[in-house]
């Protein structure tokens, strides 16, 4: 009878009636968990009644849940304390697909969380989230944006023009994709108000899929209910790339990350983020493989004698799958220093491949990639000096840096819906007069972009045109020409599509590179043309770089 009275107190009062972290089952499929600072009522799918600072932070909003690939939300069948220490408990909620753990400390406002796979199978997306009281959490914050979330009223009065994108009466757009960002550049994301903040802090990103260019959603206003959404997408091989699924190994762990509550103070959340960086890898994870880690170091030198200064370096799967699409294991990213040296610390032991590409700057002319498979990480792994083969052909011209991004072009970054439509239909770039900064990040409208250049002498009978795209969204089509002769076409027939261009992505989607042999150059004026001959609104081509070289 006393236990039943305690159960009622836990669900009715803003703070737990027991001291320290706790889990209390209140019915066959309902539990209350938390500590003296906060507690939440977890049902078979949704966590509701989040009591913090003396009142419910969820209210009429949906609450907390976990799901994969759309609204396939997990159903919790049981919960138990599976590990405990002097000041914490590890609570595991079990579902058919996997287990969500809450690691609750006695003095922590919030909880560490991690997810362990049972039977997810082939998936493209895995996420957890809180949908919270919109009045208590009116603002959103990422490393790119810190401002009020769009009002629910403004969404209701707008016209839906595509998925989660709405046009207002003044011609501007509201979309959750404007709040996206690159997962490995994050510090902390969250929603907050004058008195309360709710944040996700990821001290490590090794469980995220993909490479440096992996991007996904963060926070937004739920368009159907007005809830403030604090989104935590930890697996995404879909939203801003060619959609693929990856088979998830049994026992794979996503996390731990920290869900953190405070009084809405961003500076405090920033301090907490820095604190968590010093604590990771967390010692309380009860998993041997999690604690089995090593390191990888080496240096990259180009075959022409230069060091690979600033190169993007990715430690991923030891196979030929494109780095952005990798998502079954654990992944590490860094950049080489000015001398070409790189290192990775706290790498899970196992087999890896290493990949590198130009990130612009001193090696912005390099359009080849470096790959090396079969790297066995056990303890300290020193790869010494790796030689990266690069061509030494003489350039006729180059527009932009080869970095797999639209960086440096007009309208490149930040996230903004519909900017592709703002690029000109017709445009002329004069080599030697026009700067790369005058090129536009995207081609979309029907028309022709000409690159005009002069050749004093024909040094060789043929040249090679390299066209590098930072992304492509179908079904826009483009014809490539040299002095009026067709070299080839780019369309959905020979490029896999991604959603970046129409989902507010202005920097990258999925990278593609094409080569064309040009045999009709002449002395004097020449023209390479890119003619858009099929138009679809907000779709098109994201530009990385273009170069023409003698071969």
């Amino acid at each position: 009878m006393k236990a039943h009275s305690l159960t009622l107190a836990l669900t009715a009062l803003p703070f737990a009636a027991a001291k320290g972290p706790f889990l209390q089952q209140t019915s066959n499929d309902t539990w209350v968990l938390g500590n003296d600072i906060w507690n939440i009522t977890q049902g078979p799918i949704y966590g509701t009644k989040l009591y913090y600072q003396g009142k419910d932070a969820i209210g009429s909003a949906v609450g907390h849940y976990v799901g994969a690939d759309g609204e396939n939300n997990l159903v919790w069948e049981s919960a138990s304390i599976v590990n405990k220490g002097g000041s914490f408990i590890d609570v595991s909620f079990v579902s058919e697909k996997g287990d969500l753990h809450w690691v609750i400390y006695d003095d922590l406002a919030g909880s560490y969380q991690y997810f362990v796979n049972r039977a997810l199978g082939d998936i493209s997306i895995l996420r957890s989230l809180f949908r919270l009281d919109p009045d208590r959490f009116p603002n959103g914050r990422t490393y790119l944006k810190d401002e009020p979330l769009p009002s629910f009223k403004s969404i209701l009065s707008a016209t839906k023009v595509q998925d989660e994108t709405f046009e207002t009466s003044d011609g501007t757009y509201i979309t959750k994709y404007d709040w996206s960002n690159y997962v490995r550049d994050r510090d902390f994301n969250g929603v907050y108000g004058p008195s309360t903040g709710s944040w996700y802090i990821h001290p490590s990103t090794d469980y995220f899929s993909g490479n440096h260019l992996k991007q996904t959603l963060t926070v937004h206003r739920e368009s159907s209910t007005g809830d403030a959404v604090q989104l935590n997408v930890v697996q995404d091989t879909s939203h801003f790339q060619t959609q693929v699924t990856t088979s998830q190994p049994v026992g794979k762990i996503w996390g731990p990350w920290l869900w953190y509550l405070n009084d809405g103070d961003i500076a405090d959340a920033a301090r907490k983020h820095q604190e968590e960086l010093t604590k990771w890898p967390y010692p309380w994870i009860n998993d041997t493989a999690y604690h089995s880690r090593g390191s990888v170091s080496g240096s990259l030198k180009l075959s022409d004698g230069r060091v690979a200064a600033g190169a993007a370096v990715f430690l991923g799967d030891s196979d030929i799958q494109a780095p952005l699409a990798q998502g079954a294991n654990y992944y590490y990213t860094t950049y080489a220093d000015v001398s070409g040296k790189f290192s990775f610390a706290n790498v899970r032991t196992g087999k890896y491949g290493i990949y590198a590409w130009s990130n612009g700057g001193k090696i912005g002319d390099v359009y080849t990639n470096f790959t090396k498979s079969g790297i066995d990480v056990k303890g300290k792994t020193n790869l010494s000096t790796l030689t990266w083969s690069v061509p030494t052909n003489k350039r006729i011209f180059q527009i932009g840096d080869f970095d797999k991004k639209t960086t440096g072009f007009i309208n490149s970054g930040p996230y903004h819906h519909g900017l592709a439509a703002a690029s000109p239909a017709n445009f002329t770039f004069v080599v030697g007069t026009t700067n790369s900064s005058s090129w536009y990040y995207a081609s979309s409208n029907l028309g022709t972009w000409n690159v005009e250049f002069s050749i004093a002498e024909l040094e060789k009978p043929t040249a090679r045109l390299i066209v590098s795209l930072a992304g492509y969204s179908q079904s826009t089509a483009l014809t490539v020409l040299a002095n009026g002769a067709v070299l080839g076409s780019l369309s959905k027939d020979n490029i896999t599509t991604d959603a970046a261009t129409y989902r507010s992505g202005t920097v990258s989607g999925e990278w593609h590179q094409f080569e064309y042999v040009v045999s009709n150059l002449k002395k004097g004026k020449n023209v390479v043309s890119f003619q858009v001959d099929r138009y679809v609104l907000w779709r098109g081509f994201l530009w990385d770089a273009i170069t023409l070289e003698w071969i």
Side-chain angles (χ1 to χ4, degrees), residues 173-221:
Y173 297 95
I174 299 170
T175 176
K176 68 181 183 181
Y177 298 110
D178 279 357
W179 290 86
S180 304
N181 60 34
Y182 290 87
V183 300
R184 287 182 174 83
D185 292 337
R186 294 176 180 172
D187 47 12
F188 53 95
N189 301 328
V191 291
Y192 70 98
S195 61
T196 312
S198 183
W199 314 96
Y200 280 127
I201 298 172
H202 293 266
S204 171
T205 57
D206 65 353
Y207 43 85
F208 283 97
S209 56
N211 60 10
H212 308 61
L213 301 179
K214 176 60 60 182
Q215 52 192 318
T216 191
L217 301 166
T218 57
V219 300
H220 60 272
R221 173 78 65 200

Side-chain angles (χ1 to χ4, degrees), residues 382-453:
N382 187 348
L383 301 176
S384 299
T385 299
L386 304 172
T387 301
W388 178 350
S389 179
V390 297
T392 57
N393 301 313
K394 184 178 179 180
R395 299 288 166 92
I396 301 171
F397 70 79
Q398 181 174 325
I399 301 172
D401 280 353
F402 288 93
D403 59 4
K404 303 186 185 344
K405 296 177 288 189
T406 65
T407 305
F409 297 148
I410 293 174
N411 287 336
S412 171
Y415 292 83
H416 192 287
H417 175 72
L419 278 184
S423 294
N426 299 290
F427 174 65
T428 298
F429 184 100
V430 181
V431 174
T433 301
T434 312
N435 295 321
S436 289
S437 59
S438 298
W439 194 264
Y440 288 79
Y441 89 102
S443 291
S444 178
N445 295 306
L446 293 172
T448 303
W449 291 13
N450 289 322
V451 179
E452 297 181 356
F453 58 99

Side-chain angles (χ1 to χ4, degrees), residues 221-233:
R221 173 78 65 200
E222 172 55 47
S223 63
S224 60
T225 63
D227 298 352
V229 180
Q230 181 188 357
L231 191 57
N232 183 43
V233 184

Side-chain angles (χ1 to χ4, degrees), residues 10 34 38 47 50 54-55 69 115 135 211 219 224 255 320 358 362 367-368 381 394 418 438 450 493 500:
L10 290 172
W38 64 275
L50 171 57
K55 56 184 178 180
D69 288 351
F115 186 85
D135 295 327
N211 60 10
V219 300
S224 60
I320 60 172
S358 165
K362 292 183 178 180
Y367 57 77
T368 61
T381 303
K394 184 178 179 180
S438 298
N450 289 322
D493 295 331

Side-chain angles (χ1 to χ4, degrees), residues 42-229:
Q42 178 65 61
I45 297 177
Y46 302 107
T48 59
K49 300 182 181 69
L50 171 57
Y51 286 110
Y52 177 63
Q53 297 171 325
K55 56 184 178 180
D56 183 6
I58 292 175
S60 60
V62 170
H64 179 269
Y65 56 103
V66 178
D69 288 351
E71 291 302 317
N72 298 311
N73 299 323
L74 303 188
V75 179
W76 309 119
E77 300 169 351
S78 64
S80 63
I81 297 172
V82 294
N83 190 21
K84 64 174 61 178
S87 58
F88 77 90
I89 59 172
D90 184 338
V91 177
S92 175
F93 281 86
V94 176
S95 76
E96 178 187 358
K97 298 296 185 180
D99 306 342
L100 178 68
H101 290 249
W102 301 65
V103 178
I104 307 168
Y105 275 79
D106 54 10
D107 60 352
L108 178 61
S111 174
Y112 296 98
Q113 296 179 316
Y114 63 99
F115 186 85
V116 183
N117 179 42
R118 284 180 181 270
L120 284 171
D122 294 349
I123 62 167
S124 60
I125 295 173
L126 177 67
R127 82 281 188 272
S128 67
L129 65 154
F130 278 94
R131 288 171 56 174
L132 299 166
D133 180 351
D135 295 327
R136 192 166 172 180
F137 300 92
N139 307 309
R141 191 271 177 196
T142 73
Y143 79 93
L144 292 177
K145 290 170 73 76
D146 180 8
E147 60 189 58
L149 297 171
S151 71
F152 187 40
K153 181 179 180 181
S154 66
I155 293 175
L156 292 177
S157 62
T159 302
K160 188 172 185 178
V161 291
Q162 67 174 36
D163 68 300
E164 295 303 318
T165 304
F166 306 84
E167 184 175 7
T168 66
S169 58
D170 64 2
T172 58
Y173 297 95
I174 299 170
T175 176
K176 68 181 183 181
Y177 298 110
D178 279 357
W179 290 86
S180 304
N181 60 34
Y182 290 87
V183 300
R184 287 182 174 83
D185 292 337
R186 294 176 180 172
D187 47 12
F188 53 95
N189 301 328
V191 291
Y192 70 98
S195 61
T196 312
S198 183
W199 314 96
Y200 280 127
I201 298 172
H202 293 266
S204 171
T205 57
D206 65 353
Y207 43 85
F208 283 97
S209 56
N211 60 10
H212 308 61
L213 301 179
K214 176 60 60 182
Q215 52 192 318
T216 191
L217 301 166
T218 57
V219 300
H220 60 272
R221 173 78 65 200
E222 172 55 47
S223 63
S224 60
T225 63
D227 298 352
V229 180

Side-chain angles (χ1 to χ4, degrees), residues 191-411:
V191 291
Y192 70 98
S195 61
T196 312
S198 183
W199 314 96
Y200 280 127
I201 298 172
H202 293 266
S204 171
T205 57
D206 65 353
Y207 43 85
F208 283 97
S209 56
N211 60 10
H212 308 61
L213 301 179
K214 176 60 60 182
Q215 52 192 318
T216 191
L217 301 166
T218 57
V219 300
H220 60 272
R221 173 78 65 200
E222 172 55 47
S223 63
S224 60
T225 63
D227 298 352
V229 180
Q230 181 188 357
L231 191 57
N232 183 43
V233 184
V234 294
Q235 178 88 9
D236 188 350
T237 53
S238 174
H239 278 110
F240 290 91
Q241 64 182 87
T242 301
Q243 183 170 348
V244 297
T245 59
T246 53
S247 181
Q248 300 304 314
V250 174
K252 178 180 176 180
I253 294 176
W254 286 266
W257 58 85
L258 174 62
W259 163 60
Y260 180 59
L261 292 165
N262 70 2
D263 61 1
D265 186 347
I266 294 175
D268 173 68
R271 287 191 295 270
K272 191 64 177 174
H273 169 250
Q274 291 299 317
E275 178 186 324
E276 295 307 311
L277 291 176
T278 67
K279 294 179 178 179
W280 183 84
Y282 296 117
W284 37 259
I285 288 284
N286 188 19
D287 181 84
T288 301
Y290 175 85
H291 297 289
S292 179
R293 296 177 183 266
S295 64
V296 178
S297 62
S299 64
L300 282 164
K301 185 178 180 179
L302 305 184
S303 59
D304 62 10
R306 290 180 291 167
V307 296
V313 188
F314 174 63
L315 194 65
D317 295 339
S318 188
D319 58 30
I320 60 172
Q321 188 178 29
L324 190 63
Q326 295 180 15
N329 298 302
Y330 301 95
Y331 305 101
Y332 303 86
T333 59
T334 192
Y335 295 93
D337 66 14
V338 293
S339 63
K341 294 180 180 179
F342 62 89
S343 62
F344 301 93
N346 289 312
V347 175
R348 283 174 168 260
T349 58
K351 296 283 187 180
Y352 290 90
I354 199 163
Y355 307 76
W357 58 93
S358 165
N359 193 42
K362 292 183 178 180
I363 60 169
D365 61 307
V366 176
Y367 57 77
T368 61
N369 301 316
F370 174 85
T371 61
K372 179 179 175 60
S373 298
I375 298 170
D376 192 9
V377 177
K378 291 180 180 178
K380 293 183 178 180
T381 303
N382 187 348
L383 301 176
S384 299
T385 299
L386 304 172
T387 301
W388 178 350
S389 179
V390 297
T392 57
N393 301 313
K394 184 178 179 180
R395 299 288 166 92
I396 301 171
F397 70 79
Q398 181 174 325
I399 301 172
D401 280 353
F402 288 93
D403 59 4
K404 303 186 185 344
K405 296 177 288 189
T406 65
T407 305
F409 297 148
I410 293 174
N411 287 336

